[in-house]
Amino acid sequence: MPEPITTSGLGGFAFFGAVLVSLFPGVDAGVVLAAFGGAVLFVATSPELGGWAKLLYLIVSLIAGCMAAPFAAALLGLLLFGQVSVDKPVGALIAATIAVKLLLWLIRRADDPAAWLDLLRGRKQ
């Protein structure tokens, strides 16, 4: 079990990094912080990962959340039938949380092309 001071120090350092990135012009601070929150949520719910893997997935998830924020917000707005206006930070949170899981699932599915055909035909595996 990691020491609480080390874990909180690392979390504070990562949060400070996310805040620092949001100071660049053209970068939405809300999107960066929401993507960081989604990345932390993804890493926290993945106990099977090692320390370095968690750090790398945190970075990848943060970047994916920032990049896919407009798409995820628009998709969520469509799913809610346009009744609610969804802002980019909400999209960043959702995108950062599910982006890496979705990519890993797609990679596992790519190992067996016949499974894709079964999925497209509507057959269960």
Side-chain angles (χ1 to χ4, degrees):
M1 184 168 141
E3 293 292 325
I5 195 95
T6 306
T7 306
S8 62
L10 182 62
F13 180 72
F15 182 74
F16 177 71
V19 170
L20 199 62
V21 168
S22 69
L23 294 176
F24 289 110
V27 177
D28 187 3
V31 168
V32 173
L33 293 177
F36 177 74
V40 168
L41 181 63
F42 165 72
V43 169
T45 58
S46 301
E48 70 275 0
L49 299 175
W52 287 107
K54 283 185 178 185
L55 179 63
L56 291 174
Y57 282 144
L58 179 91
I59 293 168
V60 170
S61 184
L62 176 67
I63 292 170
C66 289
M67 298 296 288
F71 174 73
L75 186 64
L76 186 60
L78 285 174
L79 291 174
L80 296 173
F81 302 110
Q83 300 292 329
V84 178
S85 173
V86 180
D87 291 330
K88 286 182 189 175
V90 175
L93 178 71
I94 293 170
T97 305
I98 65 169
V100 175
K101 284 277 192 193
L102 180 63
L103 289 173
L104 291 174
W105 179 78
L106 287 172
I107 289 170
R108 281 194 306 273
R109 297 291 270 179
D111 289 339
D112 185 16
W116 281 105
L117 293 175
D118 289 340
L119 182 66
L120 290 175
R121 292 179 187 144
R123 297 179 188 161
K124 299 285 184 190
Q125 292 188 26

